[in-house]
């Protein structure tokens, strides 16, 4: 069976053939310069990740959260799922982080694969309960992928650390292992007759694990540069806002009219693929600028650029309201 292209090659393949999404060189240059000016700040390090993920305590937590890290956008903007933890009310992805941390404090062994591999839908519903009438979307799917992931961990030593150690300390091998052993992480599509992959959750799981290790000063993961940005619905909006991506009038119209794009739809694949490739181009440009002006090798990878762009999108969401987010209800992001 033909293996899909890796995410980076997939991004390039899509970007070179894309009809409704265009990468603009002026935007690539602008963001590279923006990151160049931040190159010595904590915003472009693993500690920057920690600021964006203040609730992340350990690797099993990271596994549980990333296994269910998909589809947080509400059907109705006015009715958002909300979770309050220690006086702070969260929406979006952070509702999941807050709910899992809250469950741990309540004594639910939610990060123990022995428990979450067998928990019932009702138990998970209680863990993910919202402050209001709007429940977190896709509870059945979250239950299915979490119990499946738990069973895989039990077959491989009983923890995420023991499972991932089979890949040595190589980020590329880690992603391959996750995608091979845990079906829900297999984020693939067919574009122009070619099998491609984005593997958003598998890549972000490895990047989050790396960041947890880095912030604790433990372990060393090689080959981090093989990871791309994590193709979701929030970062593409920021890339359009920053002038890196340009949508065709037809695509912009469809998104503004609230059209849902099915997973694997050509336009959805183009948004995700061009997002990946544009960040690769930004990274390349940034590395060149650092080399030419500082005479140093730049170690800012695509995962770190994503760790910067995702909170940037959250912080500037009011200025971006005129740019529609594409909506695809699926388990991949």
């Amino acid at each position: 069976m033909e293996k899909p292209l890796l995410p980076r090659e997939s991004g390039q393949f899509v970007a070179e053939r894309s009809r409704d999404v265009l990468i603009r060189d002026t935007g690539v240059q602008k963001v590279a310069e923006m990151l160049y000016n931040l190159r010595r700040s904590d915003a472009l390090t693993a500690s920057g990740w920690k600021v964006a993920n203040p609730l992340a305590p350990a690797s099993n937590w990271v596994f549980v959260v990333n296994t269910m890290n998909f589809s947080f956008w509400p059907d109705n903007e006015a009715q958002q799922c909300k979770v309050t933890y220690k006086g702070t009310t969260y929406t979006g992805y952070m509702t999941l982080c807050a709910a899992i941390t809250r469950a741990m404090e309540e004594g639910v062994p939610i990060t123990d694969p022995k428990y979450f591999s067998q928990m019932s839908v009702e138990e998970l519903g209680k863990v993910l309960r919202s402050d209001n009438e709007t429940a977190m979307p896709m509870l059945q799917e979250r239950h299915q992928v979490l119990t499946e992931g738990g069973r895989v961990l039990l077959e491989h030593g009983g923890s995420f650390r023991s499972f991932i150690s089979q890949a040595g300390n190589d980020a590329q091998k880690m992603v391959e292992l996750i995608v091979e052993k845990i079906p829900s992480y297999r984020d693939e599509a067919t574009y122009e007759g070619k099998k491609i992959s984005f593997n958003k959750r598998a890549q972000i799981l490895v990047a989050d694990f790396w960041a947890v290790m880095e912030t604790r000063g433990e372990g060393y993961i090689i080959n981090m540069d093989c990871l791309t940005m994590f193709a979701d619905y929030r970062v593409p909006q920021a890339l359009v806002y920053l002038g890196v991506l340009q949508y065709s009038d037809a695509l912009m119209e469809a998104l503004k009219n609230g059209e849902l794009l099915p997973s694997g739809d050509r336009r959805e694949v183009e948004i995700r693929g061009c997002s990946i490739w544009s960040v690769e181009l930004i990274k390349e440009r940034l590395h060149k600028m650092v080399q030419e002006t500082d005479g140093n090798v730049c170690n800012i990878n695509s995962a770190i650029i994503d760790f910067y762009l995702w909170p940037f999108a959250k912080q500037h969401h009011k200025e971006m309201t005129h740019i529609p987010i594409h909506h695809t209800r699926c388990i991949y992001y």
Side-chain angles (χ1 to χ4, degrees):
M1 215 173 88
E2 183 202 6
K3 278 181 83 168
L5 293 176
L6 294 171
R8 177 183 280 113
E9 287 69 32
S10 297
Q12 183 175 11
F13 182 83
V14 171
E16 286 168 354
R17 293 159 181 80
S18 177
R19 285 178 262 165
D20 279 292
V21 184
L22 181 73
I23 299 174
R24 297 177 60 204
D25 192 64
T26 49
V28 167
Q29 181 65 26
K30 174 184 154 186
V31 175
E33 285 170 7
M34 187 169 100
L35 297 174
Y36 175 79
N37 293 330
L38 291 166
R39 69 195 181 284
R40 293 191 180 95
S41 77
D42 271 359
L44 296 180
T45 64
S47 11
W49 173 88
K50 188 66 184 157
V51 172
N53 292 268
L55 302 175
S59 55
N60 270 6
W61 182 96
V62 162
F63 178 79
V64 168
V65 165
N66 276 300
T67 300
M68 296 190 285
N69 179 3
F70 52 82
S71 209
F72 298 103
W73 50 273
D75 288 322
N76 177 346
E77 277 300 328
Q79 293 174 304
Q80 286 234 355
C81 168
K82 292 180 180 175
V83 172
T84 301
Y85 173 71
K86 289 196 170 169
T88 304
T89 299
Y90 298 98
T91 58
Y93 160 73
M94 290 303 293
T95 55
L96 176 64
C97 301
I100 299 301
T101 309
R102 175 182 65 188
M104 289 168 72
E105 286 208 352
E106 289 169 352
V108 180
I110 188 61
T111 59
D112 182 348
K114 286 194 203 71
Y115 174 75
F116 68 75
S117 63
Q118 297 183 36
M119 72 189 301
S120 66
V121 180
E122 292 71 31
E123 285 170 312
L124 184 61
K126 192 179 172 199
V127 165
L128 301 181
R129 69 190 182 277
S130 170
D131 294 353
N132 54 30
E133 297 303 303
T134 309
M136 201 178 287
M138 302 181 80
L139 178 64
Q140 296 284 347
E141 289 85 349
R142 290 184 207 278
H143 175 259
Q144 190 183 335
V145 301
L146 185 61
T147 51
E148 168 199 86
R151 289 192 293 272
V152 172
L153 294 194
L154 289 179
E155 287 162 15
H156 296 88
S159 73
F160 179 63
R161 286 288 286 267
S162 61
F163 166 69
I164 207 68
S165 67
Q166 295 173 73
N169 61 345
D170 186 314
Q172 176 73 51
K173 288 181 178 156
M174 287 177 178
V175 172
E176 286 168 6
L177 176 72
I178 293 162
V179 170
E180 181 200 339
K181 300 287 184 193
I182 312 175
S184 76
Y185 277 89
R186 226 165 279 154
D187 177 7
E188 297 168 357
T190 301
Y191 181 77
E192 301 285 351
K194 192 90 182 153
K195 217 170 169 192
I196 60 169
S197 68
F198 297 128
N199 294 337
K200 185 259 180 181
R201 286 194 299 116
Q203 293 202 99
I204 205 169
L205 173 54
V206 170
D208 282 359
F209 178 61
W210 166 75
V212 166
M213 296 293 102
E214 284 280 307
T215 50
R216 288 175 166 195
E218 284 178 37
Y220 177 68
I221 296 174
I222 60 163
N223 216 2
M224 281 297 293
D225 210 41
C226 77
L227 301 185
T228 66
M229 63 77 75
F230 317 119
D232 67 352
Y233 45 86
R234 181 69 68 183
V235 175
Q237 182 196 29
L239 291 169
V240 173
Y241 173 73
L242 291 164
V244 178
L245 295 184
Q246 183 179 330
Y247 293 169
S248 69
D249 292 346
L251 175 57
M252 200 56 117
E253 184 84 4
L255 298 182
K256 281 185 173 166
N257 290 338
E259 185 183 332
L260 293 186
L261 303 186
S263 183
D265 180 277
R266 178 183 60 78
R267 296 161 299 171
E268 183 245 5
V269 168
E270 289 182 359
I271 290 170
R272 298 183 81 200
C274 290
S275 296
I276 285 177
W277 190 240
S278 69
V279 170
E280 291 303 304
L281 296 176
I282 290 165
K283 179 184 72 175
E284 212 172 86
R285 194 75 54 94
L286 171 64
H287 285 198
K288 197 172 173 211
M289 287 164 74
V290 170
Q291 182 68 54
E292 285 172 358
T293 56
D294 301 355
N296 298 332
V297 173
C298 179
N299 59 3
I300 295 165
N301 57 44
S302 299
I304 286 177
I305 295 174
D306 187 288
F307 287 157
Y308 175 78
L309 289 173
W310 191 83
F312 176 92
K314 294 281 275 185
Q315 286 153 12
H316 295 268
H317 72 277
K318 287 195 172 122
E319 299 102 288
M320 294 190 203
T321 47
H322 63 291
I323 300 163
I325 285 178
H326 79 278
H327 285 147
T328 299
R329 195 66 89 188
C330 67
I331 66 168
Y332 303 113
Y333 62 100

